[in-house]
């Protein structure tokens, strides 16, 4: 049997990752470039796929959002009102489909990454779990009973509201829509705006990390009480500081305050809130998985 090849596009807030492959062990081509204007970024994406010398079955797009994921809609694949202002109303998915003449499967970056983690990473064997990215933006997606979550549109867990103690943290928040939502308080750019330096340059003993873990833990408690996930995977640039994991795990227990007396919560927090099994490849592999599922 001839091997089938798929294209994947991880469209993130700071970078795009384009790849051709069929799974984690056989990525044939891969390229990363910064996310700039829609015209330039989509142009580079098209150029990458036009130079590929194997036939592709389809293209999967795992994109920042909000994005229209309803195939029956006229604006299917368009970016909607987003904090990334240049991309509002940008035709992304249909442009790729039209220019490359291939079937296109689209979902959010986090639903895509969740699917990748479910197939090959830290969510194998589970049917209800969440994947969050905490980086340039914050997003959450995942599966409920084996299906990626969609509904009115798709979950926008990065914009949930959190308790905000303005005495402890006077920063008003960085989300252009809500100010101090989860993303507005805890994204990479929010950390940079609050502390005046990029998050990755803050020393590990800086109070920024304690506060960051606090916001993430509050959001995780909301998610745990709402969705009842069997596991939560935390990826994205901010989470590359692995010292956040034990802080978050401990604070989640603290905020649950003895509620949910389950073995996983009591004894296995290490295995409950975890980094991605696919490292920084879950997004692009998830995009490939999206088109494999659709094919
Ligand atoms: Zn917001």
């Amino acid at each position: 049997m001839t091997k089938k090849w798929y294209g994947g596009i991880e469209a993130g807030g700071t970078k795009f990752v384009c790849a051709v492959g069929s799974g984690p062990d056989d990525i044939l081509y891969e390229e990363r470039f910064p996310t700039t204007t829609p015209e330039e970024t989509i142009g580079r994406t098209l150029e990458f796929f036009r130079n590929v010398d194997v036939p592709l079955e389809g293209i999967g797009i795992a994109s920042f959002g909000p994005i229209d994921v309803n195939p029956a809609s006229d604006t299917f694949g368009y970016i909607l009102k987003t904090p990334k202002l240049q991309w509002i109303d940008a035709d992304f998915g249909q442009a790729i489909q039209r220019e490359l003449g291939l079937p296109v499967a689209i979902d959010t970056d986090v639903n895509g990454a969740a699917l990748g983690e479910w197939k090959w990473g830290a969510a194998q064997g589970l049917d209800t779990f969440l994947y969050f990215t905490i980086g340039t933006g914050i997003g959450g997606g995942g599966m409920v009973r084996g299906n990626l979550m969609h509904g009115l549109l798709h979950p926008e867990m990065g914009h949930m509201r959190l308790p905000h103690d303005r005495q402890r943290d006077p920063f008003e928040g960085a989300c252009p829509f809500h100010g101090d939502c989860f993303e507005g308080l805890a994204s990479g750019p929010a950390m940079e705006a609050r502390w005046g330096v990029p998050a990755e340059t803050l020393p590990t003993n800086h109070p920024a990390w304690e506060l960051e873990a606090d916001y993430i833990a509050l959001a995780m408690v909301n998610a745990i009480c709402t969705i009842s996930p069997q596991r939560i995977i935390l990826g994205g640039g901010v989470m590359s500081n692995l010292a956040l994991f034990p802080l978050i795990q401990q604070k989640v227990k603290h905020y649950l305050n003895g509620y949910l007396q389950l073995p996983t919560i009591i004894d296995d927090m290490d295995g409950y809130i975890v980094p991605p099994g696919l490292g920084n490849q879950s997004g692009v592999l998830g995009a490939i998985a999206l088109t494999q599922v659709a094919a």
Side-chain angles (χ1 to χ4, degrees):
M1 203 176 96
T2 346
K3 194 165 187 102
K4 290 186 171 173
W5 298 106
Y6 302 86
I9 304 169
E10 178 193 0
T14 18
K15 65 172 192 314
F16 263 48
V17 186
C18 295
V20 169
S22 64
D25 302 322
D26 52 14
I27 295 292
L28 204 54
Y29 303 109
E30 185 176 306
E31 195 179 319
R32 294 165 181 251
F33 44 86
T35 309
T36 58
T37 61
E39 197 180 20
E40 184 181 24
T41 317
I42 294 170
R44 284 192 75 166
T45 303
L46 291 171
E47 193 186 315
F48 170 83
F49 285 107
R50 283 183 180 131
N51 288 330
V52 165
D53 57 3
V54 291
L56 299 179
E57 301 293 314
I59 305 269
I61 299 177
S63 175
F64 67 85
I67 181 164
D68 188 339
V69 291
N70 176 6
S73 160
D74 285 346
T75 53
F76 175 60
Y78 277 57
I79 305 288
L80 305 175
K81 295 271 176 294
T82 168
K84 292 188 62 61
L85 304 174
Q86 284 181 309
W87 284 75
I88 291 177
D89 296 329
D91 171 10
F92 180 14
Q94 289 187 33
I96 299 286
Q97 194 164 33
R98 193 171 54 239
E99 295 294 325
L100 298 177
L102 289 166
V104 165
I106 302 178
D107 214 318
T108 58
D109 46 0
V110 279
N111 266 350
L115 185 64
E117 288 290 322
W118 177 77
K119 258 189 116 163
W120 301 297
Q124 291 176 72
L126 305 180
D127 67 21
T128 301
F129 67 93
L130 296 175
Y131 180 100
F132 280 87
T133 183
I134 299 167
T136 319
I138 297 184
M143 282 185 177
V144 169
R145 304 295 294 270
N147 292 304
L148 289 175
M149 281 187 271
H150 296 120
L152 181 64
L153 182 66
H154 50 69
E156 277 290 339
M157 300 182 206
H159 296 268
M160 69 173 87
R161 310 308 294 246
L162 300 175
H164 177 192
D165 177 349
R166 284 174 186 270
Q167 279 200 308
R168 180 185 179 198
D169 175 24
F171 178 60
E172 56 193 37
C175 175
F177 290 86
H178 317 112
D180 61 349
C181 64
F182 182 18
E183 176 173 299
L185 289 171
S187 66
M191 292 183 79
E192 183 167 350
R194 180 188 292 110
W195 302 106
V197 290
E200 62 271 22
T201 67
L202 291 163
T204 43
N205 60 355
H206 193 283
W209 298 111
E210 182 83 25
L211 184 68
E212 180 70 7
D214 224 59
Y215 287 133
I216 297 171
L218 286 164
M220 295 310 109
V221 167
N222 289 347
I224 291 165
C225 295
T226 310
I227 310 281
S228 200
Q230 296 153 330
R231 187 169 295 149
I232 300 176
I233 302 165
L234 299 180
V238 171
M239 294 311 302
S240 58
N241 175 7
L242 296 178
L244 275 172
F245 280 90
L247 283 176
I248 294 166
Q249 289 158 351
Q250 177 203 330
K251 285 170 184 290
V252 164
K253 274 180 131 167
H254 168 77
Y255 285 120
L256 282 171
N257 196 27
Y259 204 61
L260 299 177
Q261 289 292 311
L262 302 162
T264 305
I265 302 285
I266 299 167
D267 301 321
D268 189 29
M269 206 32 110
D270 265 1
Y272 185 59
I273 296 180
V274 301
L278 300 171
N280 65 2
Q281 291 290 91
S282 26
V284 74
L285 286 166
I288 287 173
L290 283 171
T291 182
Q292 288 174 328
V293 168

